[in-house]
């Protein structure tokens, strides 16, 4: 589903001062004095139609505000009479418009500009728009596109055009003097009829075309229809003037009104992230939507925790859930476990913390709901609970900052998600673009967003793993699709409903864990994932005080001369590794004959299992390199061997009735490490390590702590007698 992509660098192109603007200002510098003080909104009446305040409509309005364009919205709150959203019959909008412009119908001074709204963005001022209109020589200028629609058979009736360009009329935007616009709308049209066909017929009537002075904007001087024009346009952002524009590189024009007609809505969504002054090196649009949260009146949220596949570090994931800074009484918790691996932790989490929540429920793999049903159940619950939002949280999304939920609420969107990525990878929880079939495609800005070289809020076509959805979008969500998984189905349904999926990377809130090659059927599966999830592995298995010991001013304890003592691993490390060894249960017999060794002979045998035997040798060598070597370099200065070599990494088991001690010996190592795997005085009695030359013993060994000492000559040592219980230690002979 997620695809790693490489090397796409989104360049913010710096345009030099827009020269055409300067030139035209000079041309009529006398009139300029007046023009500058003129209110363009008096001369140009801008109309649009929107029956619902969709996200697209909000984007449209924002762009009009940015360019000081006053717009009259027709039909807001009215029932749409022109067919469904997918196949709108635009007669309704023409009837609304005709009525609205009637007062101006005899006024040749007034210019009428009409655009659709849900899929339109302004990228210029009215002054620039009027200038382009006047340059066209038309009295009524309509936008043009590359496809003849809805009646293809009319293609041959179109007049020959001298200049190369888009030949066919699109009804999404037009501009004209009031009498001509009124003239265009003179004939009656049914609400459900097709507005584009209506305009096309008018245009194809030579008499009418001439009478109304109709022209098509074939080279996108003013209007850019995006459908079929993907390769014609290029996004440019001028950081100096904070002007995000689309340039039509085919005609070298800079259209002022961008229309995501037909199938190009997703393209407009992508460009829309940059159009109309959203960035000037910083994210301007980020400041516009911040909602103040009232702590006494926080929304009620259904928290849907989804574990549909086996993932490593589910325990840490659940800590992230618990760390959410939000009153639990405002949260309805629903946990879905679709796999046996996560059933126990899921049940325990609800049993332990459930009481704090407004309500808490779980379903386990034994309930046999598939992921789709699990997600649907959560959504149904959210409706029943009258939740203001549903917050979906998948088990691969680890929250590292508990503010995440509040921050998403502050964005005040119907759909908002934080950017989550795998550590040091380009893999993330969103797609920047879609392929034809609706699958992943690269976008120009993907890498910059993931790496946070570009910070902001982005409208994207696909989001997974962690997202907040407002109740107004609940009904749009559909998890069912014949080919798509539930994530893709949901995103498609939201796109089709015109609900924008926003992702924010303004802050770091958490990360994705890597489920690649995760084998959940091994003993203690998390332990095996150092190579795929180094960050989370270290969180779980490396002692919290590890790093502090690398501080120059930190004094490493020496219980005996040149025997150093470090805090290196957690209890989880010890418990998991002992469990792995005990499950494997291939302890050697403690005799001198040892087939695992090259010579087949062991002079000082122990009861042990080698890391090689349990398939963890490469992992353990990595552990030595990453975590043991830096400590060694600190205490045995000037000795650098990277990576450390070690042929013998093994766990030793001492028991009174088996092998309780080990006679004095040297190790075949430059230095030896010895990590205590369980607790002296609790899990066993006796035991320890005695260095004979110094007559010095370490008996109070501590679980998770490591002894490090030279292997030979000075550090002749023995394993002291274990009198009760079982003692486990993990030994490596490093650089033999
Ligand atoms: C997962 O582990 C089991 C048990 O050790 C093993 O039999 C199986 O081959 C492993 N699967 C993969 C894909 O490595
Ligand atoms: C880490 O070190 C501090 C100070 O030495 C100690 O108080 C604390 O208990 C240690 N943490 C753990 C988990 O052992
Ligand atoms: C190292 O320890 C000293 C003294 O405890 C402390 O002031 C300093 O911040 C530490 N340095 C780092 C990098 O942690
Ligand atoms: C070694 O140490 C033990 C206890 O610390 C002491 O009883 C014993 O006499 C010492 N042996 C020698 C040879 O110093």
């Amino acid at each position: 589903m997620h695809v790693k992509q490489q090397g796409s660098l989104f360049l913010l192109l710096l345009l030099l001062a827009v020269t055409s603007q300067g030139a035209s200002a000079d041309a009529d510098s006398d009139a300029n004095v007046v023009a500058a003080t003129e209110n363009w909104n008096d001369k140009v009446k801008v109309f649009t139609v929107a029956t619902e305040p969709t996200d697209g409509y909000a984007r449209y309005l924002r762009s009009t505000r940015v360019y000081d364009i006053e717009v009259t919205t027709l039909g807001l709150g009215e029932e749409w009479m022109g067919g469904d959203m997918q196949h709108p019959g635009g007669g309704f909008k023409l009837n609304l418009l005709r009525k609205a412009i009637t007062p101006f119908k005899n006024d040749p001074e007034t210019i009428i500009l009409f655009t659709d709204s849900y899929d339109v963005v302004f990228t210029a001022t009215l002054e620039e728009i009027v200038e382009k209109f006047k340059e066209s020589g038309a009295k009524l200028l309509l936008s043009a596109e590359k496809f003849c629609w809805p009646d293809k058979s009319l293609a041959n009736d179109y007049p020959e055009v001298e200049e190369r360009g888009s030949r066919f009329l699109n009804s999404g935007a037009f501009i004209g003097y009031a009498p001509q616009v009124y003239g265009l709308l003179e004939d009656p049209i049914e609400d459900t009829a097709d507005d584009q066909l209506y305009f096309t017929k008018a245009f194809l009537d030579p008499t009418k075309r001439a009478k109304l002075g109709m022209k098509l904007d074939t080279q996108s001087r003013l209007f850019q229809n995006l459908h079929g024009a993907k390769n014609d346009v290029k996004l440019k952002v001028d950081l100096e003037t904070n002007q995000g524009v689309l340039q039509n590189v085919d005609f070298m024009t800079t259209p002022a009104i961008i229309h995501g007609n037909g199938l190009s809505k997703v393209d407009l969504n992508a460009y829309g992230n940059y159009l109309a002054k959203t960035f000037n090196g910083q994210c301007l649009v980020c400041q516009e939507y911040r909602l103040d949260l009232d702590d006494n009146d926080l929304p009620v949220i259904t928290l849907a925790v989804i574990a549909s596949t086996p993932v490593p570090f589910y325990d840490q994931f659940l800590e992230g859930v618990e760390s959410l800074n939000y009153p639990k009484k405002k949260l309805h918790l629903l946990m879905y476990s679709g796999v046996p691996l996560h059933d126990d932790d899921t049940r325990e989490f609800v049993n332990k913390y459930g009481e704090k929540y407004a309500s808490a429920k779980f379903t386990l793999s034994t309930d046999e709901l598939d992921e789709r049903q699990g997600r649907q159940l959560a959504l149904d619950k959210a409706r029943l609970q009258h939740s203001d939002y549903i917050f979906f949280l998948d088990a691969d999304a680890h929250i590292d900052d508990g503010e995440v939920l509040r921050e998403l609420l502050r964005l005040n969107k119907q759909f908002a998600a934080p950017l989550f990525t795998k550590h040091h990878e380009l893999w993330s929880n969103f797609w920047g673009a879609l392929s034809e079939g609706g699958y992943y495609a690269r976008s120009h800005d993907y890498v910059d967003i993931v790496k946070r070289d570009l910070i902001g809020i982005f409208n994207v076509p696909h989001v997974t793993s962690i997202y907040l959805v407002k109740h107004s979008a609940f009904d749009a969500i559909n998890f069912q699709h014949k080919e798509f998984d539930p994530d893709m189905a949901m995103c498609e349904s939201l796109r089709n409903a015109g609900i924008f999926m926003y992702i924010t990377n303004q802050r770091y809130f958490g990360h994705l864990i890597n489920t690649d090659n995760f084998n959940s059927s091994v003993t203690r599966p998390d332990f095996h994932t150092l190579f795929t999830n180094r960050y989370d592995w270290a969180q779980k298995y490396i002692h919290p005080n590890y790093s502090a010991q690398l501080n120059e001013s930190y004094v490493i304890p020496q219980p005996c001369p040149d025997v150093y003592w470090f805090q290196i691993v957690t209890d989880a490390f010890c418990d998991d590794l002992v469990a792995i060894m005990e499950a494997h249960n291939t302890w050697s017999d403690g005799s001198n004959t040892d087939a695992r060794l090259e010579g087949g002979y062991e002079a000082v045998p122990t009861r042990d299992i080698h890391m090689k035997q349990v398939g963890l040798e490469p992992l353990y060598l990595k552990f030595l390199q990453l975590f043991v070597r830096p400590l060694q370099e600190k205490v045995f200065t000037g000795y650098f061997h990277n990576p450390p070599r070690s042929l013998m990494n093994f766990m030793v088991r001492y028991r009174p009735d088996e092998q309780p001690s080990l006679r004095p010996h040297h190790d075949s190592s430059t230095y030896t490490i010895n990590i205590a795997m369980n607790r002296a005085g609790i899990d066993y009695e006796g035991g320890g390590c005695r260095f004979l030359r110094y007559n010095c013993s370490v008996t109070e060994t501590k679980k998770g702590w490591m002894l490090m000492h030279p292997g030979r000559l000075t550090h002749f040592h023995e394993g002291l007698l274990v009198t009760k219980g079982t003692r486990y230690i993990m030994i490596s002979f490093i650089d033999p």
Side-chain angles (χ1 to χ4, degrees):
M1 253 191 339
H2 309 252
V3 177
K4 185 174 164 176
Q5 76 169 31
Q6 283 136 7
S8 133
L9 244 193
F10 170 50
L11 293 177
L12 291 174
L13 293 176
L14 269 171
L15 289 178
L16 294 172
V18 183
T19 47
S20 64
Q21 237 177 310
S24 62
D26 286 347
D28 48 6
S29 54
D30 282 348
N32 221 18
V33 185
V34 188
T37 57
E38 251 173 342
N39 185 350
W40 287 93
N41 286 302
D42 291 341
K43 294 174 78 174
V44 186
K45 300 294 167 198
V46 183
F47 293 95
T48 192
V49 169
T51 49
E52 283 175 60
T54 63
D55 290 339
Y57 179 65
R59 174 181 61 191
Y60 173 84
L61 280 191
R62 181 188 172 277
S63 76
T64 63
R65 279 197 305 272
V66 162
Y67 294 105
D68 292 323
I69 298 169
E70 285 169 21
V71 60
T72 304
T73 301
L74 308 172
L76 205 55
E78 289 183 34
E79 194 181 338
W80 179 248
M81 305 301 286
D84 65 47
M85 286 280 291
Q86 303 265 348
H87 313 93
F92 179 55
K93 86 184 179 190
L94 301 194
N95 289 328
L96 289 171
L97 181 62
R98 184 192 302 108
K99 196 169 148 204
I101 66 167
T102 302
F104 309 102
K105 69 179 183 181
N106 297 319
D107 176 6
E109 298 291 310
T110 295
I111 293 173
I112 305 291
L113 171 59
F114 175 85
T115 69
D116 288 350
S117 64
Y118 299 154
D119 50 8
V120 169
V121 174
F122 279 95
T123 67
T125 61
L126 283 182
E127 183 175 5
E128 291 165 71
I129 288 168
V130 168
E131 189 185 302
K132 285 165 191 272
F133 168 52
K134 290 195 168 161
E135 277 169 9
S136 75
K139 291 202 177 322
L140 179 51
L141 183 68
L142 295 105
S143 77
E145 63 164 300
K146 294 186 168 179
F147 304 99
C148 186
W149 185 261
D151 183 351
K152 284 184 195 158
S153 70
L154 295 176
N156 293 330
D157 299 346
Y158 269 85
E160 288 298 317
V161 283
E162 286 155 35
E163 52 175 29
R164 201 169 54 86
S166 304
R167 289 179 56 208
F168 304 109
L169 182 148
N170 179 286
S171 62
F174 54 90
I175 185 168
Y177 294 102
Q180 278 75 16
V181 175
Y182 193 80
L184 177 67
L185 302 172
E186 242 169 12
D187 294 334
I189 177 171
E190 295 278 320
D191 279 348
T192 51
D194 190 289
D195 55 320
Q196 187 149 303
L197 186 62
Y198 174 94
F199 284 166
T200 303
K201 284 182 173 161
F203 181 74
L204 296 183
D205 173 348
T207 320
K208 190 151 202 171
R209 184 162 73 233
K211 186 178 143 214
L212 297 178
M214 279 174 97
K215 281 191 181 177
L216 299 187
D217 181 27
T218 52
Q219 297 201 336
S220 298
R221 292 191 168 86
L222 182 50
F223 306 112
Q224 177 67 58
N225 289 300
L226 288 175
H227 183 43
K230 208 168 190 162
N231 297 325
D232 303 349
V233 295
K234 209 173 168 75
L235 180 69
K236 301 219 167 177
V237 182
D238 177 351
L239 293 180
E240 238 162 77
T241 63
N242 174 26
Q243 189 73 348
V245 294
L246 270 195
Q247 206 169 55
N248 187 310
V249 290
D250 199 13
F251 304 124
M252 289 316 289
T253 53
T254 307
I257 294 167
I258 315 300
H259 181 206
N261 60 315
L263 300 176
S264 67
K265 306 223 180 321
V266 174
D267 300 330
L268 180 68
N269 289 351
Y271 295 130
N273 290 323
Y274 302 95
L275 299 177
K277 304 191 183 182
T278 46
F279 282 93
N280 65 348
Q282 287 181 342
C283 176
L284 295 176
V285 78
C286 296
Q287 278 110 55
E288 292 172 20
Y289 296 98
R290 275 186 85 81
L291 186 74
D292 284 328
L293 290 183
D294 176 359
D295 260 348
N296 297 316
D297 190 23
L298 289 172
V300 174
I301 298 172
T302 294
L303 176 57
V305 173
I306 308 287
S308 55
T309 55
V311 294
F313 307 110
Y314 189 60
D315 46 356
Q316 283 157 279
F317 163 77
L318 292 177
E319 283 172 23
V321 175
E322 187 50 23
S323 78
L324 279 175
N325 174 21
Y326 205 78
K328 302 286 189 280
K329 279 287 164 230
K330 292 276 187 181
L331 294 175
H332 291 285
L333 177 65
L334 180 85
M335 298 185 73
Y336 163 81
S337 165
V339 287
L341 181 67
H342 300 316
D343 283 352
D344 289 347
D345 288 345
T346 300
R347 190 192 307 103
E348 269 168 37
F349 187 86
V350 170
N351 288 342
K352 189 166 171 197
Y353 300 111
E355 279 203 339
K356 296 193 285 178
Y357 290 82
S359 70
K361 295 245 157 32
F362 61 84
T363 72
L364 303 180
S365 65
T366 45
D367 296 312
E368 297 193 341
L369 298 181
D370 66 16
E371 180 187 348
R372 211 179 293 276
Q373 292 164 323
R375 290 184 186 277
Q376 189 63 51
L377 179 70
L379 187 59
D380 294 344
K381 283 244 181 284
R383 279 204 192 86
L384 282 174
Q385 289 154 350
H386 301 292
S387 288
D388 301 302
Y389 290 86
I390 185 164
F391 188 34
F392 276 101
L393 195 50
D394 293 6
D396 65 338
H398 283 213
I399 292 171
D400 295 321
D401 181 348
E403 284 302 304
V404 62
L405 180 50
R406 283 169 183 262
E407 282 296 311
L408 293 180
L409 285 169
R410 288 189 183 108
L411 290 184
N412 195 18
K413 301 287 190 192
Q414 293 196 88
F415 183 108
L419 170 71
F420 269 40
T421 63
K422 289 186 185 175
H423 274 290
H424 305 298
E425 283 192 46
L426 294 177
W427 183 291
S428 78
N429 65 327
F430 83 99
W431 297 352
L434 292 177
S435 71
E436 303 252 318
Y439 291 86
Y440 174 88
R442 61 167 44 216
S443 66
H444 62 87
D445 52 2
Y446 180 82
V447 172
D448 293 286
I449 295 171
V450 168
K451 289 187 166 174
R452 302 179 76 234
D453 289 336
L454 190 62
I455 301 256
I457 303 169
F458 304 89
N459 177 358
V460 298
H462 182 93
V463 175
T464 61
S465 301
I466 171 169
Y467 43 85
L468 180 68
V469 188
K470 207 173 195 164
H471 67 92
S472 54
F474 286 1
D475 288 345
I477 293 180
N478 183 357
F479 294 113
Q480 310 286 331
H481 191 287
K482 57 189 182 310
E483 291 167 52
F484 291 170
D485 63 31
D487 282 334
M488 284 182 69
M490 177 193 74
C491 292
E492 193 197 37
S493 62
L494 289 171
R495 290 195 304 270
N496 289 342
I499 288 162
F500 292 170
M501 289 169 268
Y502 285 99
I503 192 145
T504 172
N505 67 353
Q506 291 170 275
R507 264 167 74 164
Y508 170 86
F509 289 114
H511 67 281
L512 299 177
I513 46 109
N514 189 354
T515 57
D516 295 349
N517 305 318
F518 181 57
N519 190 341
S520 60
S521 52
V522 297
T523 306
R524 308 293 165 119
D526 291 359
F527 192 88
H528 299 250
T529 66
L530 170 60
F531 289 103
T532 45
N533 287 288
R534 185 191 292 187
Y535 173 86
D536 296 282
W537 196 92
Q539 287 283 312
K540 180 164 180 170
Y541 293 122
I542 297 302
H543 198 285
N545 283 346
Y546 172 82
S547 300
Q549 302 168 109
L550 295 172
N551 189 328
E552 267 183 37
S553 61
Y554 190 97
V555 180
I556 307 292
Q558 277 186 76
C560 298
D562 286 326
V563 177
Y564 293 93
W565 214 5
F566 301 96
Q567 305 163 74
I568 186 149
V569 294
T570 58
D571 284 359
F573 179 103
C574 301
D575 297 343
D576 282 5
L577 195 48
V578 168
I580 288 167
M581 292 305 189
E582 284 297 353
H584 206 259
N585 199 22
T586 49
W587 300 98
S588 59
D589 61 6
S591 72
N592 293 113
T593 313
D594 192 341
R596 297 169 303 177
L597 305 180
E598 244 178 53
Y601 181 82
E602 173 56 66
V604 193
T606 47
R607 302 272 183 165
D608 56 38
I609 299 178
H610 291 193
M611 279 303 214
K612 270 195 190 117
Q613 293 174 265
V614 293
L616 286 170
E617 179 89 343
L619 182 146
Y620 208 71
L621 291 175
K622 193 74 190 172
F623 164 76
L624 296 180
Q625 182 188 13
L626 292 175
F627 302 108
V628 174
R629 180 186 52 85
L631 298 175
Q632 173 268 300
E633 286 173 1
K634 177 165 173 167
V635 293
F636 296 121
T637 47
Y639 183 79
F640 298 106
H641 277 228
N642 188 9
R645 239 161 40 83
S646 177
L647 305 175
M648 296 267 283
N649 306 289
F650 53 100
M651 188 178 287
V652 179
R653 184 168 83 178
Y654 290 116
R655 275 182 179 169
D657 59 350
E658 216 175 53
Q659 175 173 3
S661 64
L662 188 61
R663 70 174 170 81
H665 61 282
H666 291 289
D667 294 335
S668 52
S669 71
T670 300
Y671 66 96
T672 294
I673 60 163
N674 173 342
I675 306 176
M677 290 283 118
N678 57 354
R679 296 164 300 175
I682 299 173
D683 300 316
Y684 61 90
E685 280 170 22
C689 188
R690 177 165 171 264
F691 298 89
L692 280 70
R693 182 182 174 89
Y694 311 106
N695 188 22
C696 175
S697 301
V698 187
T699 50
E700 299 296 306
T701 56
K702 293 179 212 157
K703 185 175 177 181
W705 287 53
M706 169 177 78
L707 293 171
M708 181 185 287
H709 58 81
R712 302 187 179 92
L713 297 180
T714 50
H715 286 70
F716 193 53
H717 58 284
E718 65 178 332
L720 297 173
L721 187 73
V722 171
T723 54
K724 199 174 166 189
T726 305
R727 176 179 183 227
Y728 297 100
I729 52 176
M730 186 65 214
I731 306 289
S732 293
F733 296 157
I734 299 179
D735 297 332

